[in-house]
Amino acid sequence: MNDANAKLDRARRLLDEGEPGLRELADAVGWSPAHLQRRFSARFGLSPADYLAQRKLGRLKQALRDGRDVTTALYDAGYGSPSRVYEAGAARLGMAPSRYRQGGAGESVRWSVIDTALGRALVAATGRGICAIELGDDEAALEARLRREFPGARLERVDEGRDEFLAPRLAAVADALAGRAAEVELDLIGTAFQKRVWDALMRIPKGQTLSYAELADAVGLPRGARAVARACGGNRLAVVVPCHRVVRGDGSLGGYRWGLPLKQQVLARERA
């Protein structure tokens, strides 16, 4: 292991063990704060502050899953007060911590399976917007994915067109999957870093592509291509959050959650 990587690994261990500030962390490894920030982001795909935030959020999620009461979970995870996680963490959870604790207990998710230009699609929505668009012919497998994501939520299947809230959103998703202009209200549920990547994906013009390295540059993480690729892989909103517009540096398609033939089909349609 070279000296730079050893310093970066030491910085990460210090973040795992406590909550050092950037200057304290930089002093510990013998770099300037700016240099540490740049090198850490390039190596791990997150700034030291974001890495620490994700560690804390991960501890909170696990404590909530283990059944601890919310207040104990918050303080054990390292949050100074409940307001801190409701200001920052709750947005990353996508729902209040008390509901996340039981896999989305109390959260209402309505869903339906519809026919689209790209085949069958499961479309799910919270009260804030569409939270999942999964493609595939096996409806049981699609439903199983949704239940794994929200094991404690109130999941309600709705026949297409039978729900005044969901019906117009299903129509908008169908338009988007057909390549037509559509306004789709989204509820992006993911980490802060994932949301940064997904926001950047939605700024790529239709018919154009970026490489994973170029997308990493766009979110301010040079050499963070692997972290960006993982965030793309975590996208649950097929086509609407256009991870299909990201390819390898040599122009080859790379991976795609819903299969490379579909990625190729959607890209060809957009380029036409």
Side-chain angles (χ1 to χ4, degrees):
M1 181 182 298
N2 64 39
D3 184 58
N5 285 342
K7 289 184 175 184
L8 291 169
D9 286 338
R10 172 167 165 70
R12 185 170 63 171
R13 284 196 302 273
L14 291 171
L15 290 169
D16 288 341
E17 295 166 1
E19 297 188 31
L22 181 61
R23 179 165 292 281
E24 180 184 354
L25 201 62
D27 289 344
V29 301
W31 280 344
S32 71
H35 186 68
L36 173 61
Q37 177 102 340
R38 185 169 60 254
R39 295 295 297 268
F40 192 98
S41 296
R43 173 86 182 277
F44 299 116
L46 294 167
S47 70
D50 283 343
Y51 179 87
L52 180 59
Q54 292 308 307
R55 290 285 298 174
K56 290 170 68 174
L57 186 61
R59 291 195 296 268
L60 172 62
K61 287 182 176 183
Q62 188 58 56
L64 292 171
R65 290 193 192 103
D66 290 343
R68 296 187 203 175
D69 66 272
V70 173
T71 300
T72 300
L74 291 174
Y75 285 104
D76 286 352
Y79 291 97
S81 68
S83 64
R84 294 296 299 278
V85 72
Y86 279 94
E87 291 166 0
R92 292 171 182 159
L93 287 168
M95 59 188 72
S98 58
R99 293 180 178 180
Y100 188 90
R101 176 180 60 182
Q102 296 179 1
E107 189 80 8
S108 179
V109 177
R110 282 169 278 184
W111 63 278
S112 189
V113 178
I114 61 175
D115 287 313
T116 76
L118 300 177
R120 299 290 278 169
L122 183 150
V123 183
T126 67
R128 296 174 294 275
I130 300 297
C131 61
I133 302 170
E134 292 283 0
L135 303 175
D137 295 327
D138 187 338
E139 290 192 15
L142 294 177
E143 182 178 352
R145 286 186 200 172
L146 184 66
R147 292 191 179 280
R148 282 196 300 271
E149 187 66 34
F150 299 109
R154 294 192 303 271
L155 298 179
E156 179 185 358
R157 181 165 186 170
V158 177
D159 291 338
E160 185 177 357
R162 297 290 183 88
D163 184 303
E164 292 183 0
F165 174 85
L166 195 58
R169 288 160 177 80
L170 293 177
V173 169
D175 282 341
L177 296 189
R180 296 187 290 268
E183 288 289 333
V184 182
E185 297 176 0
L186 299 180
D187 184 11
L188 295 175
I189 299 174
T191 68
F193 176 68
Q194 285 176 321
K195 290 180 180 180
R196 282 170 59 194
V197 173
W198 299 339
D199 286 341
L201 288 172
M202 289 186 284
R203 292 194 294 271
I204 303 174
K206 185 180 292 188
Q208 298 183 24
T209 59
L210 291 179
S211 69
Y212 291 103
E214 288 170 333
L215 184 59
D217 284 337
V219 298
L221 295 172
R223 298 189 298 280
R226 289 185 180 179
V228 162
R230 287 193 295 271
C232 290
N235 171 34
R236 294 181 296 274
L237 290 150
V239 180
V240 174
V241 175
C243 55
H244 60 274
R245 295 178 190 159
V246 186
V247 298
R248 290 176 176 160
D250 62 4
S252 60
L253 293 180
Y256 192 54
R257 178 178 180 137
W258 296 282
L260 292 184
L262 184 62
K263 182 173 185 175
Q264 188 171 32
Q265 175 188 344
V266 175
L267 282 174
R269 184 183 69 190
E270 290 187 349
R271 287 166 176 161

